[in-house]
Structures are given as structure tokens and as C-alpha cells.
């Protein structure tokens, strides 16, 4: 299955899960099934379940309909004032991020920027500063905190094999300036020394290759199931269709063979560092 932004789970939070638990407790107190409660408020039992489990942000109509159906105590209206989504990760990315924590293999080809798992704080902040519509300081800090937490996987999961293929031009662009790029290259070189991490560079001299359709992310779970992820301008696709994944695996394998070897990639990174 290929899941786009519209079909992905929302950004959950403690407040959403707490609100959902209150709804469920009141529903069960009134001896209503999810289906019965759903008919009373005009929503499907699946929507009710998503709200109760903290996976769906309840809209105003749900809250206003639920109040009289559950005793008209005012508790839901008051609780709704404290609802907020989990900051830091886009809703369409959260499912992939959860699987990253379990993966035994993770492959990433990136043609636009340094991959998130390899970014420095200064580099990431430049990307955040370029966002439109503009992000607030709080949003930037929350997004970086989430990204930095993901980056711990590289060291906290030494039995997970990571492979990154990065286009040379993403480093030659000097995003954030020379100093930021210098630190970014140093950081990548440091990460590349980890036994479970491989970094390859797709050189500018490679005029054509199998990755020109865009970024590719692939992972394998402990149960040997494969998933893929593809991100666009304002949405992302979580991919579980085996045929699509097979195609992406073939493309990634070709990209890997067309990129520089690991040793040559390190040499190129060192030359880029020396040019800065």
C-alpha cells in the first residue's frame, strides 16, 4: 500500500491520548459501545476508536456532540482547551519514524540535502529558516529536538546497518555558509567511522544514474519485512506494496553501484573539506 499524507496518522500527543481516555471512560460509564456512541454523535465507530486511542484530533463538532451524549458535564469542553499535537515530526512521517527505531537495515538516497539523520544543528536550522510559511522559534526548536532524537539511533542501535548515498552537489552548495558546511562535512566523516554506518557519495562526474526520480528510503524490520518512504514538498508516502518496494530496491542497488565506493567517498569528503 502507498499511503499519502491524507491517509496517514496524525501527530499524537499526551494530551490527545488523555482526552481520548476520558471519552472512553465516560462512554463505558454510560454503557455505550463505540458504534452506539458513534451514532449519537454522528461519527463512525472507527473515528470514535481513533479519538479514544489518541490517534485523531477531535474536531469541534465531535466535542460539542459528545458532551450531551456523555452527561453534559462540561469536562470534554474544558479538556479540549488543552489539546495539542505532538511537535517536531510531520504527521505523514511518524509511521516511518516509529519503524526506524526497530529497523535492522536502513538505506537512504538523498539528492536535495544532507539526510536528516546526518545533519548538524546549524545545517538543520538553516533548512528550517528557509521554510515557507515561516516557522516560529518554538516550532524550529521542537523540530530540531525531534531530529536530534532520531539521530541517536546511529549510535544506540549498533546492530542496525545504515547506508547513506548523498549527491555531491548537496555539499558543494554550501547551505548555511562555508563554516556550516565545514562542520557538516566533519560531522559526516565522523559518523562514517561508525562500524554500522556506510556513507557513499554520488559524484558530479556521474552524469546519469538510477536515482534521478528522487529520494529513496528503505528499511527492513526484525521480521524481515520491507517498507519504503518517499517525501515530497508538502506530503510523504509510506509504502508497503511489495511490488513498489521491489522496484525501489532495484533502483537503490543500481544507485549504490553507480556511487563512489565507501573509501573513495571518504576521500572525496576530505577533499571537499579541504576546499572550504
Amino acid at each position: 500500500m502507498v499511503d499519502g499524507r491524507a491517509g496517514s496518522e496524525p501527530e499524537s500527543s499526551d494530551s490527545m491520548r488523555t482526552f481520548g481516555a476520558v471519552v472512553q471512560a465516560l462512554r463505558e460509564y454510560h454503557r455505550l459501545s463505540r458504534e452506539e456512541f458513534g451514532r449519537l454523535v454522528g461519527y463512525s465507530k472507527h473515528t470514535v476508536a481513533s479519538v479514544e486511542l489518541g490517534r485523531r484530533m477531535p474536531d469541534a463538532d465531535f466535542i460539542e456532540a459528545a458532551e450531551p451524549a456523555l452527561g453534559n458535564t462540561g469536562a470534554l469542553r474544558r479538556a479540549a482547551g488543552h489539546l495539542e499535537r505532538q511537535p517536531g515530526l510531520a504527521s505523514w512521517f511518524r509511521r516511518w519514524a516509529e519503524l526506524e527505531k526497530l529497523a535492522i537495515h536502513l538505506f537512504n538516497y538523498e539528492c536535495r540535502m544532507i539526510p536528516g539523520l546526518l545533519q548538524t544543528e546549524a545545517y538543520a536550522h538553516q533548512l528550517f529558516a528557509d521554510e515557507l510559511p515561516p516557522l516560529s522559534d518554538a516550532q524550529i526548536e521542537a523540530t530540531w529536538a525531534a531530529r536530534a532524537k532520531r539521530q541517536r539511533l546511529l549510535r544506540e542501535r549498533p546492530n542496525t546497518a545504515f547506508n547513506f548515498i548523498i549527491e555531491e552537489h548537496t555539499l558543494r552548495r554550501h547551505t548555511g555558509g562555508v563554516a556550516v558546511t565545514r562542520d557538516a562535512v566533519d560531522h559526516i566523516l565522523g559518523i562514517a567511522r561508525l562500524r554500522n554506518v556506510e556513507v557513499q557519495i554520488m559524484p558530479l562526474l556521474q552524469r546519469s544514474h538510477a536515482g534521478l526520480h528522487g529520494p529513496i528510503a528503505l528499511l527492513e524490520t526484525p521480521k524481515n519485512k520491507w517498507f519504503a518512504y518517499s517525501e515530497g514538498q508538502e506530503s510523504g508516502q509510506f509504502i508497503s506494496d511489495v511490488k513498489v518496494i521491489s522496484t525501489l530496491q532495484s533502483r537503490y542497488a543500481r544507485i549504490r553501484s553507480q556511487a563512489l565506493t565507501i573509501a573513495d567517498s571518504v576521500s572525496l569528503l576530505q577533499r571537499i573539506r579541504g576546499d572550504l
Side-chain angles (χ1 to χ4, degrees):
M1 186 172 72
V2 179
D3 302 322
R5 181 178 182 178
S8 59
E9 293 182 357
E11 302 163 35
S12 187
S13 65
D14 289 341
S15 64
M16 288 170 64
R17 288 186 286 271
T18 300
F19 180 88
V22 172
V23 172
Q24 182 173 355
L26 290 173
R27 175 182 61 76
E28 292 175 349
Y29 175 81
H30 288 282
R31 301 182 183 277
L32 294 170
S33 68
R34 283 174 173 165
E35 187 171 5
E36 290 168 336
F37 176 62
R39 285 199 296 268
L40 289 174
V41 297
Y43 289 83
S44 72
K45 64 179 181 180
H46 303 294
T47 297
V48 172
S50 292
V51 170
E52 290 184 349
L53 295 173
R55 294 196 301 250
R56 182 187 179 101
M57 177 71 79
D59 56 30
D61 290 340
F62 181 96
I63 296 165
E64 290 305 311
E67 270 290 6
L70 298 178
N72 214 19
T73 63
L76 296 182
R77 291 192 185 96
R78 286 194 292 271
H82 300 284
L83 281 169
E84 59 182 15
R85 296 184 186 276
Q86 180 70 34
L89 293 179
S91 58
W92 62 86
F93 185 73
R94 289 184 61 81
R95 190 174 178 187
W96 175 263
E98 289 301 314
L99 285 172
E100 271 187 341
K101 300 174 185 177
L102 306 172
I104 59 174
H105 289 98
L106 194 145
F107 303 99
N108 188 295
Y109 162 68
E110 182 56 73
C111 56
R112 306 161 303 172
M113 64 193 79
I114 296 173
L117 287 173
L118 299 181
Q119 291 173 7
T120 62
E121 182 173 1
Y123 183 92
H125 273 250
Q126 181 61 57
L127 299 180
F128 302 151
D130 292 334
E131 286 277 358
L132 289 174
L135 300 177
S136 68
D137 289 344
Q139 288 174 315
I140 288 175
E141 291 307 316
T143 305
W144 167 247
R147 188 161 299 177
K149 184 177 180 180
R150 285 180 57 224
Q151 291 180 354
R152 297 207 300 261
L153 294 173
L154 297 170
R155 289 184 168 87
E156 292 178 352
R157 295 191 61 82
N159 299 121
T160 296
F162 296 86
N163 176 268
F164 299 93
I165 304 173
I166 312 170
E167 290 282 350
E168 180 183 350
H169 70 78
T170 65
L171 303 169
R172 297 290 190 185
R173 181 176 290 122
H174 297 175
T175 297
V178 171
V180 170
T181 303
R182 184 185 300 119
D183 289 343
V185 175
D186 284 342
H187 181 68
I188 293 171
L189 284 168
I191 294 295
R193 286 194 285 268
L194 297 175
R195 287 194 301 274
N196 62 324
V197 177
E198 297 176 340
V199 176
Q200 292 179 258
I201 304 297
M202 182 64 73
L204 290 171
L205 293 176
Q206 185 70 38
R207 295 182 178 179
S208 180
H209 61 80
L212 297 181
H213 290 290
I216 297 175
L218 294 159
L219 65 75
E220 182 183 11
T221 71
K223 293 184 178 180
N224 305 116
K225 291 186 177 180
W226 285 86
F227 297 94
Y229 177 77
S230 177
E231 189 166 285
Q233 285 280 340
E234 279 297 307
S235 64
Q237 290 184 329
F238 179 88
I239 303 166
S240 57
D241 186 296
V242 294
K243 292 183 179 179
V244 177
I245 290 172
S246 177
T247 298
L248 295 177
Q249 286 174 321
S250 296
R251 289 179 185 173
Y252 194 91
R254 180 67 62 82
I255 298 168
R256 202 171 181 180
S257 70
Q258 293 170 319
L260 295 177
T261 65
I262 295 169
D264 287 343
S265 294
V266 170
S267 294
L268 177 56
L269 285 169
Q270 291 171 337
R271 291 200 301 274
I272 292 173
R273 173 65 173 80
D275 292 340
L276 294 170

